[in-house]
C-alpha cells in the first residue's frame, strides 16, 4: 500500500500468496491449540476449515502467479493493458472465492463428527472431502506443469530468435536462458515435493493409520509456505527497496535497483 511500484498485477499476486501463507501459519497455530490444549470439537472444526481455506488460497495464488508469468511472455505487447489488470483481479477473486467455499464445506456439515466411519486421514474431514481436495491439487499441479513447459518453450524460442539476429548465441544469453529454465524447475519441483506426499497419502491412506503419518506428510506442505517468500519475493529488488523504506525509514539512493518483468518474479 505504501509503494506505488508494488501495485502492479504481479505484486498483487505475490501479496495474495503472502497473505494466504500468513493465514496458513496462523491456522496451524490455532489448530494445534484447539486440538491438544483447549479441546473443542466445534472450534477445532472451524480451525480445520480455516486451514483448508488458507492452504487452498496459497495453492491457488501459486497457480495465478504461473498464469501471470505465462501471459507476460505470451502476450508481452498487451500485458500492461487494463484487460490484464481485470484478468488478474478476476483470477484472484475466483481463487479466494473457491478457497473460502472449500473451507466452509466442513463447517457447513461435510464432516465426520457424527459418523466416524466416514472420517479420512485428516479428521474431521470426510473421505470424499479429502478426495475432492486432492483431486483439485493434482489438477492444479498438471496445469502448472503444462504452463511452465510452455514458458520454457517461449524462453528458448526467444533465445533462438536473438541468436539468429546476432548470428550466434552469446554466453550471456545461454546463461540467462539456462538460469530461467532452472528457476522454473526449482519452483515446480519445490511445489510438487511439498504437496505431492500429502495429496497422495490423503487418497491412499487409511483413517486407522497412526496420526503421525498424516503429520509427516503434511509437514513438507507447511514448508512450502515458508519457502515461498524466498522463491517469489526475496530476490526482487522492488520488494527489497520497499522493505528498506518500511523498516529503516530511508534507503540508500546510491544503490541501483532494476525493475523486473513479471516473468522474473
Amino acid at each position: 500500500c505504501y509503494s506505488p511500484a508494488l501495485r502492479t498485477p504481479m505484486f498483487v499476486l505475490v501479496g495474495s500468496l503472502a497473505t494466504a501463507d500468513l493465514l496458513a501459519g496462523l491456522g496451524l497455530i490455532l489448530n494445534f491449540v484447539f486440538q491438544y490444549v483447549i479441546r473443542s470439537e466445534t472450534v477445532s472444526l472451524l480451525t480445520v476449515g480455516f486451514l483448508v481455506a488458507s492452504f487452498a488460497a496459497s495453492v491457488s495464488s501459486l497457480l495465478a502467479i504461473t498464469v501471470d508469468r505465462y501471459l507476460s511472455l505470451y502476450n508481452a505487447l498487451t500485458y500492461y493493458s487494463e484487460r490484464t489488470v481485470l484478468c488478474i483481479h478476476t483470477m484472484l477473486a475466483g481463487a479466494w472465492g473457491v478457497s473460502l467455499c472449500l473451507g466452509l464445506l466442513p463447517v457447513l456439515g461435510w464432516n465426520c463428527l457424527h459418523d466416524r466411519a466416514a472420517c479420512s486421514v485428516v479428521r474431521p474431514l470426510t473421505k470424499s472431502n479429502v478426495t475432492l481436495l486432492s483431486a483439485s491439487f493434482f489438477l492444479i499441479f498438471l496445469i502448472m506443469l503444462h504452463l511452465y513447459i510452455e514458458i520454457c518453450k517461449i524462453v528458448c524460442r526467444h533465445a533462438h530468435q536473438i541468436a539468429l539476429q546476432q548470428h550466434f548465441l552469446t554466453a550471456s544469453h545461454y546463461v540467462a536462458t539456462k538460469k530461467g529454465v532452472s528457476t522454473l524447475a526449482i519452483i515446480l519441483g519445490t511445489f510438487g515435493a511439498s504437496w505431492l506426499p500429502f495429496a497422495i497419502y490423503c487418497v491412499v491412506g487409511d483413517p486407522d493409520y497412526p496420526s503421525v503419518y498424516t503429520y509427516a506428510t503434511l509437514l513438507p506442505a507447511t514448508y512450502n509456505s515458508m519457502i515461498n517468500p524466498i522463491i517469489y519475493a526475496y530476490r526482487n529488488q522492488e520488494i527489497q527497496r520497499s522493505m528498506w523504506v518500511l523498516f529503516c525509514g530511508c534507503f540508500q539512493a546510491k544503490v541501483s535497483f532494476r525493475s523486473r518483468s513479471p516473468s522474473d518474479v
Side-chain angles (χ1 to χ4, degrees), residues 3-201:
S3 305
L6 298 184
R7 297 174 192 167
T8 56
M10 62 177 178
F11 288 118
V12 171
L13 294 175
V14 173
S16 171
L17 177 63
T19 303
D21 288 335
L22 182 65
L23 293 176
L26 177 62
L28 283 171
I29 296 173
L30 293 176
N31 183 258
F32 178 82
V33 170
F34 288 102
Q35 193 81 18
Y36 297 102
V37 181
I38 307 174
R39 294 183 176 274
S40 171
E41 285 191 343
T42 303
V43 179
S44 178
L45 189 63
L46 291 173
T47 57
V48 168
F50 185 79
L51 263 181
V52 170
S54 301
F55 278 123
S58 178
V59 173
S60 300
S61 296
L62 289 174
L63 175 61
I65 290 175
T66 306
V67 173
D68 179 62
R69 282 179 164 174
Y70 175 75
L71 292 177
S72 69
L73 291 172
Y74 185 76
N75 297 321
L77 297 178
T78 60
Y79 174 77
Y80 290 99
S81 64
E82 291 295 329
R83 181 179 179 182
T84 301
V85 176
L86 178 62
C87 177
I88 296 299
H89 290 167
T90 302
M91 278 197 303
L92 277 182
W96 280 91
V98 171
S99 301
L100 182 61
C101 291
L102 291 175
L104 286 175
L105 287 178
V107 179
L108 295 178
W110 202 2
N111 58 68
C112 62
L113 291 180
H114 304 293
D115 184 11
R116 297 294 178 181
C119 282
S120 66
V121 294
V122 185
R123 297 182 180 87
L125 300 182
T126 63
K127 295 177 182 178
S128 54
N129 192 347
V130 167
T131 301
L132 172 64
L133 294 175
S134 299
S136 300
F137 165 78
F138 287 125
L139 177 61
I140 290 176
F141 182 74
L142 290 176
I143 294 175
M144 289 179 63
L145 177 61
H146 173 72
L147 288 177
Y148 275 130
I149 291 175
E150 292 299 318
I151 289 173
C152 288
K153 291 180 180 178
I154 295 174
V155 170
C156 293
R157 186 164 63 247
H158 286 176
H160 181 67
Q161 291 173 349
I162 293 173
L164 291 178
Q165 291 174 359
Q166 299 182 353
H167 304 293
F168 63 93
L169 184 62
T170 63
S172 61
H173 291 149
Y174 173 77
V175 171
T177 303
K178 183 179 179 181
K179 182 180 178 182
V181 173
S182 62
T183 300
L184 297 180
I186 291 173
I187 291 172
L188 190 63
T190 302
F191 177 68
S194 299
W195 279 103
L196 279 176
F198 182 65
I200 293 174
Y201 181 70

